[in-house]
Amino acid sequence: MKILSICFAAFLCGHAALATRLYAASYAGFVTSLDLSKSNELSTLSHTTDCGSSPSWLMLDSPNSILYCLDEAIDASNGTITTLRTHPDGTLTKLAQLKTPAGPVMSAMYSAPGIPNRKFFAVAHYSGSSVSTYSVDPVLGLFKPEQTFTYQMTAPGPVASRQDAPHPHGVVVDPTGRFVLVPDLGADVVRVFHVNPLTGLLEPIEPLAVNPGSGPRHGVFWSPHGSNSTSSDVYLYLVQELSNELSGFRVTYSENGISFRKIYEGSTYGDGSSPAGSKAAEIAISPENNHIVVSNRLDNTFGPNKDSFAVFMCADASGKEAERVSFLGLYPAYGSSPRHFSIASTQTMVAVALESSQSVVVSRWDKGSGAPGTLLAEKKLDGEIPSVIWDI
Ligand SMILES: *[C@@H]1O[C@H](CO)[C@@H](O)[C@H](O)[C@H]1NC(C)=O
Ligand SMILES: *[C@@H]1O[C@H](CO)[C@@H](O)[C@H](O)[C@H]1NC(C)=O
């Protein structure tokens, strides 16, 4: 027993020493492979311009060594999606590329039980007011277009400068894998789709309307059962960029449907008002599965060009009356405009894409407080950084 536990600890330590690869997207047209050394130095291994002029989002299929890159192609009439093969030395080689509707900004994978050898992904197109879907051979990284949904509005929303048109901004797959949700910042709705289990095609169903002018951007599902697939005790949390709010909803499933009951709405600044110009961005569940982490952009909470993370406690699902979410506090993001972040749960670290600082930072995930902790490493890159992910 003693020997076993020593081996286990050694395995964990060995793993920690290896788990050091990151990929960052830059609006200067680069996708960069970064290495985090044991002494917490971030260095560039390689970069590629194969993803187009303004890479906005990265999605990794680590077991198949394939990186999916969205090119927002700012100001162009079409975006692109590129698949890249990842290699142990950090180089990335192009596999396939397709033109898309304008302005792809986020994607997520899902599957259809009837087509086990293929996967599917949906893409939110901000400037193109669209959602597109693709079917992919996950091993080869070769993909083809399946569907495009394009939306219109008869009049601008309350925040006319940002709500001139529908702006799908996020894609989130529910824990049962049967539904795909797309928060639409321009239209103040979350578009909801049922995944056809035989074809993988998305079937639009009743959307979830949110407060006018709130600007839903991204979302996460949470259950007290963790990542175990379940359809009971499921909650949806949304980050709303224009109102700087977190909203929580209790999820109920029916045979082919999903419905939502609001249980919480609160500022990403707790009781404080939002600093002028601030705009909430990314949302994630903590590795301990008890907190919600939201990044706040351009708030200067920790000094000039030093923005924050807001941390909330998830609903206590022990009883219906106890469905409470609470704001726990603000924690440093170590730079300006944390548009995206990735928590490496096995390594207890957070990588942050700092758009305005044009850098990537890695900070400690503090298990004690269940929040982002001390700064470990920082790397300036070329251009604004909209996304950073781990390859562990
Ligand atoms: C490229 O953009 C044009 C103009 O918006 C659009 O009609 C076309 O469908 C787009 N192409 C693809 C492959 O989505
Ligand atoms: C998830 O499922 C595994 C295997 O059934 C179980 O051991 C574990 O306790 C579950 N986790 C939670 C949080 O329910």
Side-chain angles (χ1 to χ4, degrees):
M1 198 57 218
K2 182 128 202 208
I3 290 169
L4 268 180
S5 63
I6 289 166
C7 292
F8 186 59
F11 166 76
L12 278 182
C13 291
H15 189 63
L18 289 172
T20 53
R21 184 70 47 82
L22 293 141
Y23 303 111
S26 159
Y27 276 164
F30 301 110
V31 176
T32 303
S33 304
L34 295 162
D35 176 72
L36 180 67
S37 73
K38 280 186 232 176
S39 54
N40 294 323
E41 300 279 335
L42 270 174
S43 57
T44 297
L45 293 174
S46 79
H47 66 249
T48 176
T49 55
D50 281 343
C51 178
S53 61
S54 15
S56 57
W57 184 260
L58 301 171
M59 183 169 70
L60 180 68
D61 179 350
S62 191
N64 286 311
S65 304
I66 293 178
L67 184 64
Y68 294 76
C69 177
L70 306 185
D71 171 22
E72 193 174 345
I74 293 167
D75 297 331
S77 57
N78 292 95
T80 61
I81 300 168
T82 305
T83 45
L84 300 158
R85 172 80 62 200
T86 64
H87 299 279
D89 65 357
T91 55
L92 300 164
T93 47
K94 185 169 163 179
L95 295 171
Q97 185 170 59
L98 277 184
K99 255 189 188 184
T100 72
V105 287
M106 186 176 177
S107 58
M109 286 274 186
Y110 49 95
S111 42
I115 311 181
N117 58 336
R118 292 188 77 82
K119 289 209 162 207
F120 299 84
F121 60 94
V123 180
H125 299 265
Y126 184 94
S127 60
S129 302
S130 303
V131 176
S132 63
T133 70
Y134 303 82
S135 141
V136 61
D137 177 326
V139 178
L140 300 177
L142 302 179
F143 58 104
K144 59 177 198 211
E146 293 280 1
Q147 294 168 288
T148 302
F149 302 89
T150 303
Y151 302 101
Q152 278 165 359
M153 275 161 38
T154 50
V159 183
S161 62
R162 297 291 308 281
Q163 299 187 307
D164 56 316
H167 291 303
H169 212 318
V171 183
V172 47
V173 180
D174 88 307
T176 69
R178 294 166 54 219
F179 298 93
V180 172
L181 273 60
V182 175
D184 184 329
L185 182 145
D188 291 322
V189 296
V190 178
R191 303 191 185 277
V192 183
F193 301 90
H194 175 244
V195 180
N196 184 306
L198 299 177
T199 62
L201 295 179
L202 294 188
E203 302 164 346
I205 57 175
E206 177 76 14
L208 165 64
V210 298
N211 290 346
S214 64
R217 177 185 171 98
H218 286 180
V220 284
F221 282 91
W222 175 77
S223 155
H225 313 294
S227 56
N228 286 0
S229 178
T230 175
S231 57
S232 63
D233 299 329
V234 175
Y235 295 80
L236 168 70
Y237 293 108
L238 292 177
V239 57
Q240 280 142 293
E241 173 174 338
L242 303 181
S243 62
N244 289 306
E245 279 176 313
L246 175 80
S247 294
F249 300 84
R250 177 79 188 233
V251 175
T252 305
Y253 290 98
S254 57
E255 198 174 331
N256 277 320
I258 180 170
S259 59
F260 305 91
R261 175 174 58 83
K262 194 194 284 180
I263 59 153
Y264 180 80
E265 189 171 80
S267 166
T268 63
Y269 295 94
D271 292 334
S273 58
S274 304
S278 60
K279 40 181 192 170
E282 191 54 272
I283 183 167
I285 299 294
S286 68
E288 294 77 27
N289 197 44
N290 58 352
H291 291 168
I292 307 152
V293 186
V294 172
S295 64
N296 280 318
R297 286 179 293 180
L298 305 174
D299 64 357
N300 302 309
T301 291
F302 291 94
N305 300 317
K306 300 224 177 292
D307 296 342
S308 69
F309 287 106
V311 178
F312 296 82
M313 193 163 73
C314 298
D316 174 350
S318 57
K320 248 192 166 160
E321 290 70 39
E323 276 180 355
R324 274 177 298 133
V325 177
S326 55
F327 176 79
L328 297 178
L330 295 173
Y331 296 82
Y334 302 108
S336 184
S337 201
R339 172 157 162 172
H340 179 239
F341 60 92
S342 300
I343 306 173
S345 52
T346 52
Q347 311 309 320
T348 61
M349 293 190 289
V350 192
V352 190
L354 292 160
E355 189 168 1
S356 302
S357 298
Q358 308 198 347
S359 66
V360 167
V361 301
V362 174
S363 52
R364 180 75 65 201
W365 176 261
D366 183 340
K367 280 186 176 178
S369 56
T374 53
L375 180 65
L376 294 176
E378 180 169 18
K379 176 82 180 160
K380 277 269 178 197
L381 294 171
D382 282 334
E384 296 177 323
I385 308 300
S387 179
V388 64
I389 59 174
W390 296 96
D391 186 358
I392 294 182

